[in-house]
């Protein structure tokens, strides 16, 4: 299986592929187990403040080092803290988070150019939550 490439400038790197997950499946792993959902459900969960997956794993987030969930799609595996996962699903990563993911993994669906400017990391379609504590210590 070849990852879907959305940018020639930032091709896929450091990827672990999961061909058993169809493009419409997302898997979340937490201390509560493994959960499968589709992208529409993920977007809906992005609107919530709490995720229904139980406690995060002690595995450090690739962005902050905080305890994280493992997010798997057919083309990538990421360890993200709960608030980072919510921002990813809200298409509202901070530019530093976008750059860290892009530079580590290349552009993948959740951060491709429909959602972020590649050069600035600016979110193009953010679902903002004005009450969210956006501190870097998720």
């Amino acid at each position: 299986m070849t990852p879907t490439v959305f940018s020639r400038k930032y091709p896929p790197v450091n990827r672990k592929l999961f061909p058993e997950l169809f493009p419409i499946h997302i898997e979340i792993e937490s201390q509560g187990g493994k959960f499968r959902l589709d992208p529409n459900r993920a977007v809906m969960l992005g609107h919530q403040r709490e995720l229904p997956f139980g406690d995060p794993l002690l595995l450090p987030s690739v962005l902050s080092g905080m305890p994280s969930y493992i997010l798997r799609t057919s083309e990538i595996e990421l360890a993200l803290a709960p608030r980072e996962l919510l921002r990813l699903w809200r298409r509202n990563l901070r530019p530093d988070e976008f750059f860290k993911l892009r530079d580590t993994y290349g552009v993948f669906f959740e951060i491709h150019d429909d959602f972020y400017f590649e050069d600035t990391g600016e979110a193009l379609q953010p679902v903002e939550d004005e009450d969210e504590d956006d501190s870097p210590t998720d």
Side-chain angles (χ1 to χ4, degrees), residues 76-135:
I76 198 160
E77 178 180 82
L78 304 170
L80 296 173
R83 293 287 167 216
E84 296 161 354
L85 180 59
L86 288 171
R87 283 194 296 277
L88 179 75
W89 284 344
R90 283 206 282 285
R91 315 267 192 264
N92 199 16
L93 292 171
R94 296 186 295 256
D96 63 307
E97 294 171 326
F98 167 82
F99 290 132
K100 189 162 189 179
L101 292 176
R102 185 203 66 192
D103 294 347
T104 302
Y105 300 104
V107 170
F108 51 95
F109 178 77
E110 288 80 1
I111 64 167
H112 79 282
D113 63 4
D114 283 345
F115 304 130
Y116 295 91
F117 280 120
E118 277 185 3
D119 296 326
T120 66
E122 179 186 353
L124 297 172
Q125 301 180 36
V127 176
E128 296 176 353
D129 182 352
E130 56 201 46
D131 295 330
E132 180 182 347
D133 175 13
D134 231 5
S135 65

Short mmCIF file of all heavy atoms in Angstrom, two decimals, residues 76-135:
data_model
loop_
_atom_site.label_atom_id
_atom_site.label_comp_id
_atom_site.label_asym_id
_atom_site.label_seq_id
_atom_site.Cartn_x
_atom_site.Cartn_y
_atom_site.Cartn_z
N ILE A 76 -0.83 6.29 8.46
CA ILE A 76 0.02 6.94 9.47
C ILE A 76 -0.37 6.50 10.87
O ILE A 76 -1.51 6.10 11.12
CB ILE A 76 -0.07 8.48 9.33
CG1 ILE A 76 1.10 9.14 10.04
CG2 ILE A 76 -1.39 9.02 9.79
CD1 ILE A 76 1.37 10.54 9.59
N GLU A 77 0.60 6.57 11.76
CA GLU A 77 0.37 6.35 13.18
C GLU A 77 1.01 7.51 13.93
O GLU A 77 2.18 7.83 13.70
CB GLU A 77 1.02 5.03 13.62
CG GLU A 77 0.87 4.76 15.11
CD GLU A 77 1.52 3.46 15.52
OE1 GLU A 77 2.75 3.45 15.71
OE2 GLU A 77 0.79 2.46 15.64
N LEU A 78 0.22 8.15 14.79
CA LEU A 78 0.69 9.31 15.56
C LEU A 78 0.32 9.13 17.02
O LEU A 78 -0.75 8.63 17.33
CB LEU A 78 -0.01 10.60 15.09
CG LEU A 78 0.07 11.01 13.66
CD1 LEU A 78 -0.90 12.15 13.39
CD2 LEU A 78 1.48 11.44 13.34
N ALA A 79 1.18 9.59 17.90
CA ALA A 79 0.86 9.65 19.32
C ALA A 79 0.58 11.12 19.63
O ALA A 79 1.47 11.97 19.49
CB ALA A 79 2.02 9.13 20.15
N LEU A 80 -0.67 11.42 20.01
CA LEU A 80 -1.06 12.80 20.29
C LEU A 80 -1.78 12.88 21.63
O LEU A 80 -2.62 12.03 21.95
CB LEU A 80 -2.00 13.32 19.19
CG LEU A 80 -1.42 13.44 17.79
CD1 LEU A 80 -2.52 13.80 16.79
CD2 LEU A 80 -0.30 14.47 17.76
N ALA A 81 -1.48 13.93 22.39
CA ALA A 81 -2.19 14.20 23.63
C ALA A 81 -3.65 14.52 23.29
O ALA A 81 -3.96 14.92 22.16
CB ALA A 81 -1.53 15.37 24.35
N PRO A 82 -4.56 14.34 24.24
CA PRO A 82 -5.99 14.56 23.94
C PRO A 82 -6.31 15.90 23.29
O PRO A 82 -7.01 15.94 22.28
CB PRO A 82 -6.65 14.42 25.32
CG PRO A 82 -5.76 13.47 26.05
CD PRO A 82 -4.36 13.82 25.60
N ARG A 83 -5.80 17.01 23.81
CA ARG A 83 -6.10 18.32 23.21
C ARG A 83 -5.49 18.46 21.83
O ARG A 83 -6.06 19.12 20.95
CB ARG A 83 -5.64 19.46 24.12
CG ARG A 83 -6.43 19.53 25.41
CD ARG A 83 -7.83 20.06 25.16
NE ARG A 83 -8.67 19.83 26.33
CZ ARG A 83 -9.94 19.52 26.27
NH1 ARG A 83 -10.57 19.42 25.13
NH2 ARG A 83 -10.63 19.32 27.36
N GLU A 84 -4.35 17.84 21.60
CA GLU A 84 -3.73 17.88 20.27
C GLU A 84 -4.58 17.10 19.28
O GLU A 84 -4.77 17.54 18.14
CB GLU A 84 -2.32 17.29 20.34
CG GLU A 84 -1.38 18.07 21.20
CD GLU A 84 -0.15 17.29 21.65
OE1 GLU A 84 -0.04 16.07 21.40
OE2 GLU A 84 0.73 17.93 22.28
N LEU A 85 -5.10 15.97 19.70
CA LEU A 85 -5.97 15.17 18.84
C LEU A 85 -7.23 15.96 18.50
O LEU A 85 -7.66 15.99 17.35
CB LEU A 85 -6.31 13.84 19.51
CG LEU A 85 -7.23 12.90 18.73
CD1 LEU A 85 -6.62 12.53 17.37
CD2 LEU A 85 -7.51 11.64 19.55
N LEU A 86 -7.80 16.62 19.51
CA LEU A 86 -8.98 17.44 19.24
C LEU A 86 -8.66 18.56 18.25
O LEU A 86 -9.43 18.82 17.33
CB LEU A 86 -9.52 18.03 20.55
CG LEU A 86 -10.21 17.03 21.47
CD1 LEU A 86 -10.52 17.68 22.82
CD2 LEU A 86 -11.47 16.48 20.84
N ARG A 87 -7.51 19.21 18.40
CA ARG A 87 -7.13 20.27 17.45
C ARG A 87 -6.92 19.71 16.05
O ARG A 87 -7.28 20.34 15.05
CB ARG A 87 -5.90 21.03 17.93
CG ARG A 87 -6.20 22.01 19.05
CD ARG A 87 -5.07 23.00 19.29
NE ARG A 87 -3.84 22.37 19.75
CZ ARG A 87 -3.58 22.06 21.02
NH1 ARG A 87 -4.47 22.31 21.96
NH2 ARG A 87 -2.43 21.51 21.34
N LEU A 88 -6.32 18.51 15.96
CA LEU A 88 -6.13 17.88 14.65
C LEU A 88 -7.49 17.66 14.00
O LEU A 88 -7.69 17.99 12.82
CB LEU A 88 -5.38 16.55 14.79
CG LEU A 88 -5.15 15.79 13.49
CD1 LEU A 88 -4.04 16.45 12.68
CD2 LEU A 88 -4.82 14.34 13.77
N TRP A 89 -8.43 17.12 14.74
CA TRP A 89 -9.76 16.85 14.19
C TRP A 89 -10.55 18.13 13.93
O TRP A 89 -11.44 18.15 13.09
CB TRP A 89 -10.53 15.92 15.11
CG TRP A 89 -10.06 14.49 14.99
CD1 TRP A 89 -9.30 13.95 14.00
CD2 TRP A 89 -10.34 13.43 15.90
NE1 TRP A 89 -9.08 12.62 14.25
CE2 TRP A 89 -9.71 12.26 15.40
CE3 TRP A 89 -11.05 13.34 17.09
CZ2 TRP A 89 -9.78 11.03 16.03
CZ3 TRP A 89 -11.12 12.12 17.73
CH2 TRP A 89 -10.49 10.97 17.20
N ARG A 90 -10.24 19.21 14.62
CA ARG A 90 -10.89 20.49 14.36
C ARG A 90 -10.19 21.26 13.26
O ARG A 90 -10.57 22.39 12.95
CB ARG A 90 -10.89 21.34 15.64
CG ARG A 90 -11.91 20.94 16.65
CD ARG A 90 -12.32 22.07 17.55
NE ARG A 90 -11.47 22.47 18.62
CZ ARG A 90 -11.30 21.83 19.78
NH1 ARG A 90 -11.86 20.68 19.99
NH2 ARG A 90 -10.54 22.34 20.71
N ARG A 91 -9.13 20.68 12.70
CA ARG A 91 -8.35 21.36 11.66
C ARG A 91 -7.83 22.69 12.21
O ARG A 91 -7.87 23.72 11.53
CB ARG A 91 -9.16 21.61 10.40
CG ARG A 91 -10.00 20.44 9.93
CD ARG A 91 -9.26 19.60 8.92
NE ARG A 91 -10.10 18.65 8.26
CZ ARG A 91 -10.20 17.37 8.64
NH1 ARG A 91 -9.56 16.93 9.67
NH2 ARG A 91 -10.95 16.53 7.96
N ASN A 92 -7.39 22.65 13.46
CA ASN A 92 -7.01 23.87 14.15
C ASN A 92 -5.69 23.70 14.91
O ASN A 92 -5.54 24.19 16.03
CB ASN A 92 -8.14 24.29 15.10
CG ASN A 92 -8.04 25.74 15.50
OD1 ASN A 92 -7.33 26.52 14.88
ND2 ASN A 92 -8.74 26.10 16.56
N LEU A 93 -4.74 22.99 14.29
CA LEU A 93 -3.42 22.88 14.90
C LEU A 93 -2.75 24.25 14.91
O LEU A 93 -2.98 25.07 14.00
CB LEU A 93 -2.54 21.91 14.11
CG LEU A 93 -2.92 20.44 14.14
CD1 LEU A 93 -2.07 19.66 13.13
CD2 LEU A 93 -2.75 19.85 15.54
N ARG A 94 -1.91 24.48 15.89
CA ARG A 94 -1.09 25.69 15.89
C ARG A 94 -0.01 25.51 14.82
O ARG A 94 0.37 24.38 14.48
CB ARG A 94 -0.48 25.90 17.26
CG ARG A 94 -1.53 26.16 18.33
CD ARG A 94 -0.89 26.50 19.66
NE ARG A 94 -0.12 25.42 20.22
CZ ARG A 94 -0.51 24.63 21.23
NH1 ARG A 94 -1.69 24.82 21.78
NH2 ARG A 94 0.27 23.68 21.68
N PRO A 95 0.50 26.60 14.26
CA PRO A 95 1.53 26.46 13.23
C PRO A 95 2.72 25.61 13.67
O PRO A 95 3.21 24.79 12.90
CB PRO A 95 1.95 27.91 12.94
CG PRO A 95 0.70 28.68 13.18
CD PRO A 95 0.08 28.01 14.39
N ASP A 96 3.20 25.76 14.91
CA ASP A 96 4.33 24.95 15.36
C ASP A 96 3.99 23.46 15.37
O ASP A 96 4.83 22.62 15.05
CB ASP A 96 4.84 25.40 16.73
CG ASP A 96 3.81 25.24 17.84
OD1 ASP A 96 2.67 25.74 17.70
OD2 ASP A 96 4.15 24.62 18.87
N GLU A 97 2.73 23.13 15.69
CA GLU A 97 2.30 21.73 15.68
C GLU A 97 2.24 21.21 14.24
O GLU A 97 2.68 20.10 13.94
CB GLU A 97 0.93 21.58 16.35
CG GLU A 97 0.97 21.89 17.83
CD GLU A 97 -0.40 21.95 18.46
OE1 GLU A 97 -1.37 22.38 17.80
OE2 GLU A 97 -0.50 21.57 19.65
N PHE A 98 1.66 22.03 13.36
CA PHE A 98 1.60 21.66 11.95
C PHE A 98 3.00 21.39 11.41
O PHE A 98 3.25 20.36 10.78
CB PHE A 98 0.92 22.77 11.13
CG PHE A 98 1.10 22.59 9.65
CD1 PHE A 98 0.29 21.74 8.93
CD2 PHE A 98 2.13 23.25 8.98
CE1 PHE A 98 0.47 21.56 7.57
CE2 PHE A 98 2.32 23.07 7.62
CZ PHE A 98 1.49 22.22 6.91
N PHE A 99 3.94 22.32 11.65
CA PHE A 99 5.31 22.16 11.13
C PHE A 99 5.98 20.92 11.68
O PHE A 99 6.67 20.20 10.95
CB PHE A 99 6.16 23.40 11.42
CG PHE A 99 5.75 24.61 10.63
CD1 PHE A 99 5.58 25.83 11.26
CD2 PHE A 99 5.53 24.54 9.26
CE1 PHE A 99 5.21 26.95 10.55
CE2 PHE A 99 5.16 25.66 8.54
CZ PHE A 99 5.00 26.86 9.18
N LYS A 100 5.79 20.64 12.95
CA LYS A 100 6.42 19.46 13.55
C LYS A 100 5.89 18.19 12.90
O LYS A 100 6.65 17.29 12.56
CB LYS A 100 6.22 19.44 15.06
CG LYS A 100 7.05 18.35 15.72
CD LYS A 100 7.19 18.59 17.19
CE LYS A 100 8.19 17.60 17.77
NZ LYS A 100 8.37 17.82 19.20
N LEU A 101 4.57 18.10 12.70
CA LEU A 101 3.99 16.93 12.05
C LEU A 101 4.44 16.85 10.59
O LEU A 101 4.84 15.78 10.12
CB LEU A 101 2.47 16.95 12.14
CG LEU A 101 1.89 16.75 13.54
CD1 LEU A 101 0.37 16.89 13.50
CD2 LEU A 101 2.29 15.41 14.13
N ARG A 102 4.37 17.96 9.88
CA ARG A 102 4.76 17.97 8.46
C ARG A 102 6.22 17.59 8.29
O ARG A 102 6.57 16.80 7.42
CB ARG A 102 4.51 19.35 7.87
CG ARG A 102 4.79 19.41 6.37
CD ARG A 102 5.09 20.77 5.87
NE ARG A 102 6.35 21.25 6.44
CZ ARG A 102 6.75 22.52 6.36
NH1 ARG A 102 6.00 23.42 5.77
NH2 ARG A 102 7.90 22.88 6.88
N ASP A 103 7.09 18.13 9.12
CA ASP A 103 8.52 17.86 8.97
C ASP A 103 8.88 16.45 9.42
O ASP A 103 9.86 15.88 8.93
CB ASP A 103 9.33 18.90 9.74
CG ASP A 103 9.19 20.30 9.15
OD1 ASP A 103 8.67 20.43 8.02
OD2 ASP A 103 9.59 21.27 9.82
N THR A 104 8.11 15.88 10.32
CA THR A 104 8.38 14.52 10.80
C THR A 104 7.81 13.46 9.87
O THR A 104 8.47 12.45 9.62
CB THR A 104 7.78 14.33 12.22
OG1 THR A 104 8.36 15.30 13.09
CG2 THR A 104 8.08 12.94 12.75
N TYR A 105 6.60 13.69 9.34
CA TYR A 105 5.90 12.65 8.58
C TYR A 105 5.63 13.01 7.12
O TYR A 105 5.14 12.18 6.37
CB TYR A 105 4.55 12.34 9.24
CG TYR A 105 4.70 11.85 10.65
CD1 TYR A 105 4.42 12.68 11.72
CD2 TYR A 105 5.12 10.55 10.91
CE1 TYR A 105 4.56 12.24 13.03
CE2 TYR A 105 5.26 10.10 12.22
CZ TYR A 105 4.98 10.95 13.26
OH TYR A 105 5.13 10.50 14.55
N GLY A 106 5.91 14.23 6.71
CA GLY A 106 5.47 14.69 5.41
C GLY A 106 4.00 15.06 5.51
O GLY A 106 3.38 14.91 6.55
N VAL A 107 3.45 15.57 4.43
CA VAL A 107 2.04 15.94 4.44
C VAL A 107 1.19 14.67 4.35
O VAL A 107 1.48 13.78 3.55
CB VAL A 107 1.72 16.90 3.27
CG1 VAL A 107 0.23 17.11 3.12
CG2 VAL A 107 2.42 18.24 3.49
N PHE A 108 0.20 14.58 5.20
CA PHE A 108 -0.77 13.48 5.17
C PHE A 108 -2.16 14.10 5.17
O PHE A 108 -2.30 15.32 5.32
CB PHE A 108 -0.55 12.49 6.32
CG PHE A 108 -0.47 13.10 7.69
CD1 PHE A 108 -1.57 13.19 8.50
CD2 PHE A 108 0.75 13.59 8.17
CE1 PHE A 108 -1.49 13.75 9.77
CE2 PHE A 108 0.85 14.15 9.43
CZ PHE A 108 -0.28 14.24 10.23
N PHE A 109 -3.17 13.28 4.98
CA PHE A 109 -4.51 13.81 4.73
C PHE A 109 -4.93 14.87 5.74
O PHE A 109 -5.40 15.94 5.37
CB PHE A 109 -5.56 12.68 4.71
CG PHE A 109 -6.96 13.22 4.51
CD1 PHE A 109 -7.38 13.62 3.25
CD2 PHE A 109 -7.82 13.39 5.59
CE1 PHE A 109 -8.65 14.16 3.07
CE2 PHE A 109 -9.08 13.92 5.42
CZ PHE A 109 -9.50 14.31 4.16
N GLU A 110 -4.77 14.59 7.02
CA GLU A 110 -5.28 15.49 8.05
C GLU A 110 -4.59 16.85 8.09
O GLU A 110 -5.11 17.79 8.69
CB GLU A 110 -5.16 14.82 9.44
CG GLU A 110 -6.15 13.69 9.65
CD GLU A 110 -5.74 12.36 9.01
OE1 GLU A 110 -4.65 12.28 8.39
OE2 GLU A 110 -6.52 11.40 9.11
N ILE A 111 -3.44 16.97 7.42
CA ILE A 111 -2.76 18.28 7.39
C ILE A 111 -2.46 18.73 5.95
O ILE A 111 -1.59 19.57 5.74
CB ILE A 111 -1.48 18.29 8.25
CG1 ILE A 111 -0.42 17.33 7.70
CG2 ILE A 111 -1.79 17.99 9.71
CD1 ILE A 111 0.97 17.52 8.32
N HIS A 112 -3.20 18.23 4.98
CA HIS A 112 -2.89 18.61 3.60
C HIS A 112 -3.40 20.01 3.27
O HIS A 112 -3.99 20.68 4.12
CB HIS A 112 -3.39 17.54 2.61
CG HIS A 112 -4.85 17.58 2.30
ND1 HIS A 112 -5.81 17.08 3.15
CD2 HIS A 112 -5.51 18.06 1.22
CE1 HIS A 112 -7.00 17.24 2.59
NE2 HIS A 112 -6.84 17.83 1.42
N ASP A 113 -3.14 20.47 2.04
CA ASP A 113 -3.33 21.87 1.69
C ASP A 113 -4.78 22.35 1.60
O ASP A 113 -5.01 23.53 1.39
CB ASP A 113 -2.56 22.24 0.43
CG ASP A 113 -3.02 21.50 -0.81
OD1 ASP A 113 -4.00 20.72 -0.74
OD2 ASP A 113 -2.38 21.68 -1.87
N ASP A 114 -5.75 21.48 1.78
CA ASP A 114 -7.13 21.95 1.93
C ASP A 114 -7.36 22.51 3.34
O ASP A 114 -8.28 23.28 3.56
CB ASP A 114 -8.14 20.83 1.70
CG ASP A 114 -8.34 20.50 0.24
OD1 ASP A 114 -7.92 21.31 -0.62
OD2 ASP A 114 -8.89 19.43 -0.05
N PHE A 115 -6.52 22.08 4.28
CA PHE A 115 -6.72 22.43 5.68
C PHE A 115 -5.67 23.40 6.23
O PHE A 115 -5.94 24.12 7.20
CB PHE A 115 -6.74 21.17 6.55
CG PHE A 115 -7.77 20.16 6.12
CD1 PHE A 115 -7.42 18.83 5.95
CD2 PHE A 115 -9.08 20.52 5.87
CE1 PHE A 115 -8.36 17.89 5.56
CE2 PHE A 115 -10.02 19.59 5.47
CZ PHE A 115 -9.67 18.27 5.31
N TYR A 116 -4.47 23.42 5.65
CA TYR A 116 -3.39 24.27 6.16
C TYR A 116 -2.55 24.81 5.01
O TYR A 116 -2.33 24.12 4.02
CB TYR A 116 -2.44 23.47 7.08
CG TYR A 116 -3.11 23.00 8.34
CD1 TYR A 116 -3.73 21.75 8.38
CD2 TYR A 116 -3.15 23.79 9.48
CE1 TYR A 116 -4.38 21.31 9.53
CE2 TYR A 116 -3.79 23.36 10.63
CZ TYR A 116 -4.40 22.12 10.64
OH TYR A 116 -5.05 21.70 11.78
N PHE A 117 -2.06 26.05 5.16
CA PHE A 117 -1.05 26.56 4.24
C PHE A 117 0.25 25.85 4.55
O PHE A 117 0.72 25.91 5.69
CB PHE A 117 -0.85 28.08 4.40
CG PHE A 117 -1.88 28.92 3.72
CD1 PHE A 117 -2.66 29.79 4.47
CD2 PHE A 117 -2.05 28.88 2.35
CE1 PHE A 117 -3.60 30.59 3.86
CE2 PHE A 117 -3.00 29.67 1.73
CZ PHE A 117 -3.78 30.53 2.49
N GLU A 118 0.86 25.21 3.56
CA GLU A 118 2.10 24.46 3.78
C GLU A 118 3.24 25.34 4.28
O GLU A 118 4.06 24.90 5.07
CB GLU A 118 2.57 23.78 2.49
CG GLU A 118 1.92 22.48 2.20
CD GLU A 118 2.51 21.80 0.97
OE1 GLU A 118 3.46 22.32 0.35
OE2 GLU A 118 2.00 20.73 0.63
N ASP A 119 3.32 26.55 3.82
CA ASP A 119 4.46 27.39 4.14
C ASP A 119 4.31 28.17 5.45
O ASP A 119 5.30 28.54 6.06
CB ASP A 119 4.75 28.36 3.00
CG ASP A 119 5.15 27.62 1.73
OD1 ASP A 119 5.80 26.56 1.85
OD2 ASP A 119 4.81 28.08 0.63
N THR A 120 3.07 28.42 5.88
CA THR A 120 2.86 29.20 7.10
C THR A 120 2.30 28.37 8.25
O THR A 120 2.36 28.80 9.40
CB THR A 120 1.90 30.37 6.85
OG1 THR A 120 0.60 29.85 6.56
CG2 THR A 120 2.41 31.27 5.73
N GLY A 121 1.70 27.22 7.93
CA GLY A 121 1.06 26.41 8.96
C GLY A 121 -0.28 26.95 9.41
O GLY A 121 -0.90 26.44 10.34
N GLU A 122 -0.76 27.99 8.73
CA GLU A 122 -2.04 28.60 9.09
C GLU A 122 -3.19 27.66 8.75
O GLU A 122 -3.26 27.13 7.64
CB GLU A 122 -2.22 29.92 8.35
CG GLU A 122 -3.52 30.61 8.64
CD GLU A 122 -3.73 31.85 7.78
OE1 GLU A 122 -2.80 32.26 7.05
OE2 GLU A 122 -4.83 32.41 7.82
N ALA A 123 -4.10 27.49 9.70
CA ALA A 123 -5.29 26.67 9.48
C ALA A 123 -6.25 27.40 8.56
O ALA A 123 -6.54 28.58 8.76
CB ALA A 123 -5.96 26.34 10.80
N LEU A 124 -6.74 26.71 7.54
CA LEU A 124 -7.65 27.32 6.56
C LEU A 124 -9.11 27.13 6.91
O LEU A 124 -9.95 27.92 6.50
CB LEU A 124 -7.37 26.73 5.17
CG LEU A 124 -5.99 26.98 4.61
CD1 LEU A 124 -5.78 26.18 3.34
CD2 LEU A 124 -5.78 28.46 4.37
N GLN A 125 -9.44 26.04 7.60
CA GLN A 125 -10.82 25.73 7.94
C GLN A 125 -10.94 25.38 9.42
O GLN A 125 -11.50 24.36 9.77
CB GLN A 125 -11.30 24.53 7.12
CG GLN A 125 -11.25 24.71 5.64
CD GLN A 125 -11.74 23.46 4.93
OE1 GLN A 125 -12.65 22.79 5.39
NE2 GLN A 125 -11.14 23.14 3.81
N PRO A 126 -10.42 26.22 10.31
CA PRO A 126 -10.44 25.83 11.72
C PRO A 126 -11.83 25.85 12.32
O PRO A 126 -12.66 26.69 11.97
CB PRO A 126 -9.57 26.91 12.38
CG PRO A 126 -9.74 28.10 11.51
CD PRO A 126 -9.86 27.55 10.11
N VAL A 127 -12.08 24.90 13.18
CA VAL A 127 -13.26 24.92 14.03
C VAL A 127 -12.73 25.40 15.37
O VAL A 127 -12.06 24.66 16.08
CB VAL A 127 -13.89 23.52 14.16
CG1 VAL A 127 -15.06 23.55 15.12
CG2 VAL A 127 -14.32 23.01 12.79
N GLU A 128 -12.95 26.65 15.66
CA GLU A 128 -12.36 27.25 16.84
C GLU A 128 -13.26 27.07 18.05
O GLU A 128 -14.47 27.05 17.94
CB GLU A 128 -12.09 28.73 16.59
CG GLU A 128 -11.04 28.91 15.50
CD GLU A 128 -10.79 30.35 15.13
OE1 GLU A 128 -11.52 31.24 15.63
OE2 GLU A 128 -9.86 30.59 14.35
N ASP A 129 -12.62 26.96 19.19
CA ASP A 129 -13.31 26.85 20.47
C ASP A 129 -12.74 27.94 21.35
O ASP A 129 -11.65 27.81 21.89
CB ASP A 129 -13.05 25.46 21.07
CG ASP A 129 -13.79 25.27 22.38
OD1 ASP A 129 -14.37 26.25 22.90
OD2 ASP A 129 -13.77 24.15 22.90
N GLU A 130 -13.47 29.04 21.46
CA GLU A 130 -12.93 30.19 22.17
C GLU A 130 -12.70 29.93 23.65
O GLU A 130 -11.93 30.63 24.29
CB GLU A 130 -13.85 31.40 21.99
CG GLU A 130 -15.28 31.12 22.43
CD GLU A 130 -16.27 32.08 21.81
OE1 GLU A 130 -16.17 32.32 20.61
OE2 GLU A 130 -17.13 32.58 22.55
N ASP A 131 -13.30 28.89 24.22
CA ASP A 131 -13.12 28.58 25.63
C ASP A 131 -11.96 27.64 25.89
O ASP A 131 -11.59 27.41 27.03
CB ASP A 131 -14.39 27.94 26.21
CG ASP A 131 -15.56 28.92 26.20
OD1 ASP A 131 -15.32 30.14 26.30
OD2 ASP A 131 -16.70 28.46 26.07
N GLU A 132 -11.37 27.08 24.84
CA GLU A 132 -10.31 26.09 25.02
C GLU A 132 -9.05 26.75 25.57
O GLU A 132 -8.63 27.80 25.12
CB GLU A 132 -9.97 25.40 23.70
CG GLU A 132 -8.87 24.38 23.87
CD GLU A 132 -8.46 23.72 22.57
OE1 GLU A 132 -9.19 23.86 21.58
OE2 GLU A 132 -7.43 23.07 22.56
N ASP A 133 -8.45 26.08 26.54
CA ASP A 133 -7.15 26.51 27.04
C ASP A 133 -6.13 26.04 26.03
O ASP A 133 -5.91 24.85 25.87
CB ASP A 133 -6.89 25.89 28.40
CG ASP A 133 -5.49 26.20 28.92
OD1 ASP A 133 -4.83 27.08 28.35
OD2 ASP A 133 -5.09 25.56 29.90
N ASP A 134 -5.52 26.96 25.32
CA ASP A 134 -4.60 26.62 24.21
C ASP A 134 -3.15 26.62 24.65
O ASP A 134 -2.27 26.82 23.85
CB ASP A 134 -4.81 27.62 23.07
CG ASP A 134 -5.02 26.92 21.75
OD1 ASP A 134 -5.12 25.69 21.74
OD2 ASP A 134 -5.08 27.62 20.73
N SER A 135 -2.93 26.38 25.93
CA SER A 135 -1.54 26.37 26.41
C SER A 135 -0.80 25.20 25.81
O SER A 135 -1.38 24.15 25.56
CB SER A 135 -1.51 26.30 27.94
OG SER A 135 -2.04 25.07 28.37
#
